[in-house]
Amino acid sequence: MGDVFDYNGPMQMVTRIMHKPEISDAATLEEFDSVIREIQEHGLAADELEPLKIKFRSDYYSMLEGGMMPRYGLMHLLACFTLFDGDPQLVNTILDGFLAVTREEVQAAANKYLRREKRAIVFRQPASTGKEAA
Amino acid sequence: MATAPLNDKCPLAPPLSAERPVQWPRRTYSRLSNGMEIVLAESRAVPKFTGQLFFRAGNAALSVRATGLAEMTAAVVRTGTAKRTSRQIEEDLRRIGADLSSGAGMDTTALSFDGLAEFSEPLLAMVSELAREASFPEGEFERERRHTLESVRIERTTPSFLAGERLRKTLFGSHPYALVSPSEAQVQAYRLEDLSAAYQEIYSPAHALLVMVGDFQAETMLRQIEKIFGGWTGRKPAAKTFPAPPKLRGRGVSLVHVPGSVQTQILCGCPSITRKHPDWLRLALTNSIYGGAFNSRLVMNIREDKGYTYSPRSGVNPLREHGYFSISAAVRNEVVAASLAEIFYEMERMRALPVPEAELADAISYVSGVFSLGLGTQSGLLSQLGTVALNELPEDYLETYRDRVRALSASDVLYAARGYFDSANMQITIVGDRAQIESQAALYGEVAVYDAQGNVIQ
């Protein structure tokens, strides 16, 4: 699937975790769950949201500059906003919505969308070769 | 992605319009009293900035002490200072939306960073702290060592790495450019005090270059830089002299044996020029016609026409003291000799016949156009300005680049191919299953066989 912007409709949220062989899948998953549980029950810490927004803003500008060729990101977003919203100007304003998100909204979204019964997990395990890598 | 063949009904592509002029960003050159050189360029497409603090010494300068020592030192520099732990560094970077990395190549060491324009001061303060007050925490060092051990093990299972390593050993002999990566034993033998000593020597303002591009006003930024870096002192490390690379005569063939390999990595190379050489642009254009671009002769021949390989490529690799030219292709085992035949055929054709005008015009548009594209972002501009400054090229190098490319002729290309595509003395490296490829390799010269660890095998 694409990124935060290039779709129009229901989207998967995917988390990839690669863990060391000495730690079990179950223990890794429990760590993952505990992070989500914390947000569902208590929300973000008071000083947690602002730095996230700063990083998001910084990454958004980098995305405009970067991509498969120089400034591909800007072209890509202009195309997405024209295709899905008929409004290429969104490239200049879309950030405002992200920067207005509140801690309460993050907590509500975690409770609404990050639900176990909606979740599918794929475990990918390397086949044993029976010998150490040379 | 496959290219669809043109048919009779397909309309011709419209002719290219003239290149548009480039608006050159304002640049400021200065030097602090401690010797640090500064290049600033204003570029306001996004409210960010990006920069690199270079030191003009890297793995080659430290190779007498240990292979890869500058790289390992750079990795640990990033993990702690007198004032911040590794975790604090990460948190502080996150708080200002910035990214920062450290690394070392053969000739330089660099701290690279980018962030939001309004947070330039805290980010530069962190860069300064890492360059001056790295604390080399024991735990972080051991973690980096484990990480590096993992990487060097993986490298030895990667055909392109093995080919590159072998070619560099052949071309550079006892010059440190021959040493591209440490062995596991060498990584195990690094000591924390070696890293500290390397840090003291390399991380000095006396041979530092700070290049920054972004949304700032140059004079204001320069004052900020002076405030942050002005009090830093250090000596210039003693200049190192390295043994000359060997003078290789005749084609040599090296085979790195990887049992069971289902394809073969080919890498051919010969000594070449550095960026400073007046023939650099001629050779760059010539390379793009031969194998440096997707529509180049080698790609059209062994990928599109014959289907021997997916991604053949040639390039000129400009290290500071010596460059080298190389051609790489991962091919099916049964077409190793056939691929080499085409690699040399296309090389000889470049040396024997002038390039047709239409092909030359396409190549000039490509080289010039790619250059312009590369200037379109802060990071692209940074990379070009860094290249100019590190190689002490003229300040108007970028402004004149496109005109100089457009002025090149078919005779320039013939001259460069004859001078630098040294077909008769090309060193051939192939990596794959010996049983399937050795007799093909032997058609090109006497074959020396090695294992993945670099040992000679009979």
Side-chain angles (χ1 to χ4, degrees):
Chain A
M1 308 282 268
D3 56 43
V4 185
F5 301 103
D6 59 2
Y7 72 100
N8 185 24
M11 178 69 161
Q12 288 179 352
M13 173 175 152
V14 182
T15 305
R16 289 190 178 80
I17 304 174
M18 189 148 53
H19 63 81
K20 292 184 171 177
E22 61 267 28
I23 296 166
S24 70
D25 290 338
T28 307
L29 205 54
E30 174 45 35
E31 281 299 316
F32 176 76
D33 284 340
S34 72
V35 172
I36 291 174
R37 214 162 38 232
E38 172 65 25
I39 294 171
Q40 286 171 330
E41 288 169 12
H42 303 109
L44 293 172
D47 59 353
E48 223 173 335
L49 187 56
E50 276 318 301
L52 288 174
K53 288 181 181 176
I54 289 170
K55 182 70 177 144
F56 191 89
R57 185 158 58 96
S58 183
D59 289 347
Y60 179 79
Y61 297 139
S62 291
M63 185 174 58
L64 295 181
E65 291 259 283
M68 56 193 283
M69 61 180 79
R71 314 217 58 195
Y72 172 83
L74 174 60
M75 290 189 287
H76 178 64
L77 286 198
L78 289 172
C80 293
F81 295 141
T82 307
L83 182 65
F84 299 133
D85 308 285
D87 182 12
Q89 288 294 339
L90 271 178
V91 77
N92 295 313
T93 55
I94 194 95
L95 257 186
D96 301 344
F98 288 97
L99 301 182
V101 169
T102 63
R103 287 165 61 202
E104 291 70 29
E105 286 170 330
V106 171
Q107 187 171 5
N111 279 306
K112 183 171 177 187
Y113 296 110
L114 305 184
R115 286 161 48 178
R116 285 200 182 206
E117 68 271 21
K118 296 280 191 188
R119 179 167 82 178
I121 306 176
V122 176
F123 294 99
R124 282 183 62 189
Q125 281 160 337
S128 172
T129 57
K131 59 172 185 175
E132 282 284 299
Chain B
M1 187 176 64
T3 314
L6 291 171
N7 62 36
D8 297 341
K9 294 186 188 119
C10 189
L12 288 173
L16 291 176
S17 51
E19 273 189 315
R20 292 165 57 188
V22 171
Q23 296 295 320
W24 293 99
R26 198 159 80 91
R27 275 170 282 166
T28 309
Y29 298 87
S30 43
R31 188 187 285 274
L32 299 184
S33 58
N34 59 19
M36 187 165 111
E37 237 182 289
I38 299 159
V39 180
L40 301 177
E42 298 179 7
S43 164
R44 298 202 159 83
V46 291
K48 291 193 73 171
F49 73 102
T50 179
Q52 281 190 291
L53 175 62
F54 291 103
F55 302 98
R56 292 177 167 88
N59 288 303
L62 299 177
S63 65
V64 184
R65 281 181 243 167
T67 302
L69 185 57
E71 177 63 29
M72 188 63 176
T73 303
V76 183
V77 159
R78 172 76 170 68
T79 64
T81 70
K83 297 177 189 137
R84 296 183 237 220
T85 63
S86 172
R87 179 154 195 157
Q88 279 165 326
I89 289 172
E90 296 313 322
E91 283 173 2
D92 291 345
L93 284 171
R94 200 165 59 102
R95 196 166 296 127
I96 57 173
D99 289 300
L100 190 154
S101 64
S102 57
M106 276 291 151
D107 300 314
T108 55
T109 294
L111 292 165
S112 309
F113 47 93
D114 72 81
L116 290 162
E118 71 257 38
F119 295 119
S120 62
E121 189 165 357
L123 182 50
L124 284 175
M126 186 184 293
V127 171
S128 165
E129 214 177 291
L130 292 170
R132 297 158 78 172
E133 301 172 77
S135 57
F136 293 91
E138 177 91 44
E140 299 291 342
F141 168 53
E142 290 305 334
R143 210 172 62 87
E144 289 299 331
R145 192 207 301 273
R146 285 195 298 276
H147 178 73
T148 305
L149 281 170
E150 207 47 44
S151 314
V152 300
R153 275 180 207 130
I154 293 167
E155 277 174 356
R156 303 231 154 261
T157 64
T158 312
S160 56
F161 168 81
L162 294 171
E165 181 188 52
R166 176 49 48 197
L167 179 66
R168 290 274 284 261
K169 282 189 197 300
T170 307
L171 293 180
F172 291 107
S174 46
H175 189 287
Y177 288 171
L179 306 167
V180 298
S181 189
S183 65
E184 280 185 53
Q186 284 170 322
V187 175
Q188 293 287 12
Y190 290 151
R191 294 171 312 163
L192 202 50
E193 52 266 39
D194 300 331
L195 273 64
S196 305
Y199 180 66
Q200 293 305 326
E201 182 178 331
I202 287 185
Y203 292 69
S204 161
H207 70 153
L209 163 71
L210 177 65
V211 187
M212 281 174 55
V213 176
D215 184 8
F216 50 71
Q217 204 272 331
E219 284 70 28
T220 313
M221 181 55 74
L222 191 58
R223 278 197 296 279
Q224 196 172 81
I225 291 168
E226 273 171 352
K227 201 174 115 201
I228 293 171
F229 293 93
W232 185 17
T233 56
R235 284 179 304 147
K236 203 170 179 168
K240 305 273 193 303
T241 51
F242 303 127
K247 296 234 179 298
L248 301 163
R249 286 285 163 259
R251 286 182 188 165
V253 185
S254 306
L255 189 161
V256 181
H257 177 42
V258 177
S261 182
V262 293
Q263 63 174 10
T264 299
Q265 177 70 46
I266 295 176
L267 183 67
C268 303
C270 65
S272 191
I273 53 179
T274 66
R275 280 264 179 189
K276 287 184 181 197
H277 196 284
D279 287 339
W280 176 261
L281 266 192
R282 282 186 176 124
L283 181 55
L285 179 67
T286 306
N287 172 62
S288 90
I289 296 169
Y290 171 69
F294 190 78
N295 63 346
S296 60
R297 292 180 176 189
L298 190 64
V299 178
M300 286 298 135
N301 180 336
I302 64 176
R303 176 194 151 114
E304 296 296 301
D305 181 30
K306 307 206 171 56
Y308 292 162
T309 174
Y310 188 68
S311 51
R313 213 64 163 176
S314 69
V316 193
N317 312 281
L319 296 162
R320 185 161 61 206
E321 290 197 357
H322 308 278
Y324 66 101
F325 171 65
S326 63
I327 307 126
S328 69
V331 306
R332 287 181 283 121
N333 287 338
E334 58 275 23
V335 294
V336 171
S339 300
L340 284 167
E342 301 303 331
I343 285 169
F344 284 110
Y345 165 72
E346 294 294 357
M347 207 180 295
E348 300 302 351
R349 198 152 73 91
M350 295 288 303
R351 289 161 55 88
L353 295 165
V355 56
E357 282 304 324
E359 192 180 5
L360 177 70
D362 277 356
I364 286 175
S365 292
Y366 174 77
V367 170
S368 172
V370 164
F371 171 79
S372 302
L373 261 185
L375 297 171
T377 61
Q378 293 180 351
S379 60
L381 190 56
L382 176 77
S383 148
Q384 296 283 3
L385 291 173
T387 299
V388 170
L390 287 170
N391 292 287
E392 291 147 357
L393 301 172
E395 280 186 15
D396 67 352
Y397 185 86
L398 300 181
E399 275 86 347
T400 61
Y401 185 95
R402 300 197 305 177
D403 287 339
R404 285 182 290 120
V405 171
R406 274 197 292 267
L408 293 173
S409 66
S411 58
D412 286 308
V413 172
L414 198 60
Y415 164 91
R418 287 178 180 175
Y420 302 111
F421 288 1
D422 193 3
S423 166
N425 301 304
M426 198 61 66
Q427 303 305 309
I428 301 167
T429 305
I430 57 174
V431 179
D433 189 336
R434 179 181 189 176
Q436 299 189 57
I437 59 177
E438 187 171 2
S439 61
Q440 297 181 68
L443 297 171
Y444 290 86
E446 194 176 333
V447 183
V449 186
Y450 302 86
D451 65 16
Q453 306 303 319
N455 305 308
V456 178
I457 49 180
Q458 293 306 310

